[in-house]
Amino acid sequence: GQQVMQIPQYQHVQEGEDFTTYCNSSTTLSNIQWYKQRPGGHPVFLIQLVKSGEVKKQKRLTFQFGEAKKNSSLHITATQTTDVGTYFCAGTRIGSGNTPLVFGKGTRLSVIA
Amino acid sequence: GEEVAQTPKHLVRGEGQKAKLYCAPIKGHSYVFWYQQVLKNEFKFLISFQNENVFDETGMPKERFSAKCLPNSPCSLEIQATKLEDSAVYFCASSQSTGPGQPQHFGDGTRLSIL
């Protein structure tokens, strides 16, 4: 079945440092979504990428979708303590609509002030 | 409502007992999804509904798990004869449709503890 691998599993950074998490799928995706889950909270939708090679920015966050639509990345510039949480990518394989959403295992980000 | 409402927040059951979880999707959302998140953070898709119809149940354990979304009632996920391995947080999410660009809105989850 479709698998979505996400690395690293954990990342500890000093406040102000950059952070990147990578997502790789075993199959071509129709789209990829990114979610953030704060400790003890629920996943909150951040963004969806649909087009090959697409790049989207949200303030300090930059999201990329690979040309082959099999990988994606989330980059945070100059991390802040409010960025703490687990970042999940979730992909949908081509032809399945928006379900099922296959989640990566997430990257847990810790930011040390 | 404007949020996905899940009840109860916490549920404790003895092994072998039944557990029933509820989810009210955002008003106007046609699709409901259930996920299981275990301690290692991994999300497992269980089942999805389009209104009251099962849309995709490829992740649903057949033997002890069942789910329903009936008109004018919260959706439910029921686990019969619970096992220790069923301990997890169960999230419900809803979306307007399944087209591209449709985010899934998650509830706060139900933490199920099997003793």
Side-chain angles (χ1 to χ4, degrees):
Chain A
Q2 178 190 5
Q3 290 188 341
V4 175
M5 310 300 291
Q6 196 173 347
I7 57 169
Q9 190 174 357
Y10 302 98
Q11 186 79 56
H12 306 280
V13 299
Q14 290 280 344
E15 190 174 21
E17 290 183 338
D18 292 355
F19 159 75
T20 305
T21 173
Y22 300 91
C23 187
N24 290 285
S25 170
S26 57
T27 59
T28 303
L29 302 170
S30 65
N31 59 75
I32 194 157
Q33 298 180 3
W34 284 91
Y35 291 81
K36 177 184 178 181
Q37 184 178 23
R38 293 182 185 275
H42 60 269
V44 174
F45 175 81
L46 294 177
I47 209 160
Q48 175 161 285
L49 304 170
V50 179
K51 298 177 184 176
S52 170
E54 189 170 15
V55 178
K56 286 188 177 180
K57 291 191 175 185
Q58 288 181 351
K59 297 183 180 177
R60 294 178 295 104
L61 278 61
T62 301
F63 304 84
Q64 292 187 324
F65 201 10
E67 294 289 340
K69 299 183 75 173
K70 282 189 167 185
N71 57 73
S72 182
S73 65
L74 158 59
H75 179 82
I76 302 179
T77 304
T79 54
Q80 299 175 359
T81 54
T82 52
D83 296 326
V84 164
T86 302
Y87 293 84
F88 292 93
C89 63
T92 308
R93 65 180 184 274
I94 284 181
S96 69
N98 202 33
T99 181
L101 208 56
V102 178
F103 279 81
K105 292 188 177 182
T107 296
R108 184 175 293 181
L109 173 64
S110 299
V111 179
I112 305 164
Chain B
E2 293 299 315
E3 294 182 345
V4 175
Q6 287 190 250
T7 57
K9 290 190 183 298
H10 304 279
L11 188 58
V12 180
R13 287 288 180 266
E15 197 173 10
Q17 292 185 316
K18 181 175 70 175
K20 196 165 185 178
L21 292 59
Y22 298 92
C23 168
I26 292 173
K27 192 175 181 180
H29 282 193
S30 304
Y31 291 85
V32 171
F33 309 84
W34 283 99
Y35 296 93
Q36 179 193 58
Q37 186 178 37
V38 295
L39 290 176
K40 294 289 186 183
N41 279 336
E42 188 170 355
F43 278 91
K44 179 188 173 187
F45 167 78
L46 296 176
I47 191 170
S48 62
F49 288 85
Q50 180 183 9
N51 298 312
E52 63 267 26
N53 303 307
V54 174
F55 191 74
D56 188 319
E57 57 181 348
T58 51
M60 197 70 158
K62 296 291 185 185
E63 292 180 349
R64 299 179 296 108
F65 285 60
S66 62
K68 293 178 185 177
C69 276
L70 300 176
N72 303 314
S73 297
C75 295
S76 64
L77 175 68
E78 189 168 5
I79 309 173
Q80 303 285 345
T82 52
K83 298 182 178 181
L84 296 175
E85 68 213 43
D86 298 331
S87 295
V89 180
Y90 291 82
F91 284 100
C92 172
S94 71
S95 69
Q96 279 187 320
S97 71
T98 62
Q102 292 297 322
Q104 293 186 13
H105 299 266
F106 284 76
D108 288 336
T110 293
R111 183 175 296 277
L112 176 63
S113 299
I114 306 300
L115 306 179

